[in-house]
Amino acid sequence: EYLNFLTLENPIEFPLSEIDTPYATIYQVEVPSHVHTFKRGIEEYMRHSPDVILVGEMRDAETMVAGILASSTGHQVMGTLHSTGFAATINRVVNNLPPEDAAAMRHDLIDSLRLVFTQRLFPTPDGKRTAVREWLVCDAYVRRKLHEAAEKNSLQKVGHELVWRFGKPLIDDVERAYREGLMLESDYESLRRDFGGKR
């Protein structure tokens, strides 16, 4: 199967033009050099019929809306967002949606979810860095539970519970990193306070 990839980046860190891609075409677009905003990039490059759209940063409401709309038309959309876990990620996107469209777009967002993956970097005792991660695969059951939570305005609470039941909560990886001597005690204690329980 031949695939068209669109990447929107600020800046382009790894030029992909020299990679031999016999089964794909990669359109690598830099914001703002090639296009003014991430939102405009999604809209303008849809004419290339991308199968996969990688948005370097979902930094504002307009980009989030454009990404959700692209996903709802059958495109696979991947994006990065500054957040601290599954529940916080969903909450941040929902809270950034335009109030007049929020109800419908919340459900479009949930329908399009397949995986939410969070990574945080912390200093190690020897001065390097280690990553701790949280994720949840969003299958049909998880999406149904999120739809129900959206109707009851309890996405944050239900999202947190779903990660504990079906995903990998951040604190599990924090515990691993601390056991392996890869995390400072001060960071460990702080994360235990913030993420240590099934709230």
Side-chain angles (χ1 to χ4, degrees):
E1 181 182 4
Y2 195 86
L3 296 174
N4 287 327
F5 285 83
L6 166 64
T7 76
L8 298 162
E9 304 170 63
N10 177 16
I12 292 175
E13 295 183 49
F14 302 101
L16 304 176
S17 58
E18 296 181 13
I19 297 176
D20 184 23
T21 55
Y23 302 108
T25 298
I26 301 173
Y27 300 97
Q28 205 167 11
V29 178
E30 186 170 51
V31 178
S33 301
H34 303 138
V35 68
H36 290 301
T37 64
F38 286 101
K39 172 188 180 282
R40 292 289 295 165
I42 294 170
E43 295 171 345
E44 290 183 18
Y45 283 84
M46 289 295 281
R47 67 180 179 273
H48 291 289
S49 299
D51 299 295
V52 180
I53 301 170
L54 174 61
V55 183
E57 191 174 341
M58 296 278 194
R59 63 171 58 150
D60 53 50
E62 292 79 16
T63 303
M64 293 176 189
V65 168
I68 292 168
L69 292 174
S71 180
S72 68
T73 60
H75 299 84
Q76 181 178 341
V77 179
M78 295 180 280
T80 66
L81 180 69
H82 292 286
S83 62
T84 57
F86 176 82
T89 300
I90 301 302
N91 224 31
R92 179 162 177 208
V93 175
V94 166
N95 289 339
N96 272 285
L97 296 175
E100 65 275 14
D101 301 322
M105 296 214 72
R106 229 178 12 232
H107 291 291
D108 288 340
L109 167 68
I110 292 167
D111 283 338
S112 69
L113 289 177
R114 296 298 179 269
L115 171 70
V116 178
F117 177 93
T118 304
Q119 175 174 284
R120 297 180 65 184
L121 297 175
F122 291 93
T124 60
D126 62 359
K128 298 177 183 176
R129 292 194 297 176
T130 191
V132 293
R133 302 174 179 98
E134 173 175 292
W135 66 82
L136 177 64
V137 175
C138 301
D139 60 12
Y141 178 81
V142 166
R143 291 194 298 275
R144 186 170 79 246
K145 287 296 183 185
L146 290 172
H147 279 300
E148 293 169 3
E151 292 300 323
K152 298 173 183 174
N153 205 23
S154 59
L155 274 171
Q156 180 89 16
K157 178 178 182 291
V158 171
H160 186 80
E161 291 168 355
L162 288 168
V163 170
W164 277 91
R165 288 181 63 197
F166 303 110
K168 179 171 184 174
L170 185 78
I171 197 63
D172 283 3
D173 222 20
V174 168
E175 295 284 3
R176 174 206 50 84
Y178 186 66
R179 278 195 314 271
E180 294 175 4
L182 298 174
M183 180 169 283
L184 299 172
E185 187 167 358
S186 58
D187 288 326
Y188 172 72
E189 293 298 339
S190 174
L191 288 161
R192 284 286 300 167
R193 284 192 299 274
D194 293 342
F195 298 97
K198 299 183 182 183
R199 292 188 289 273

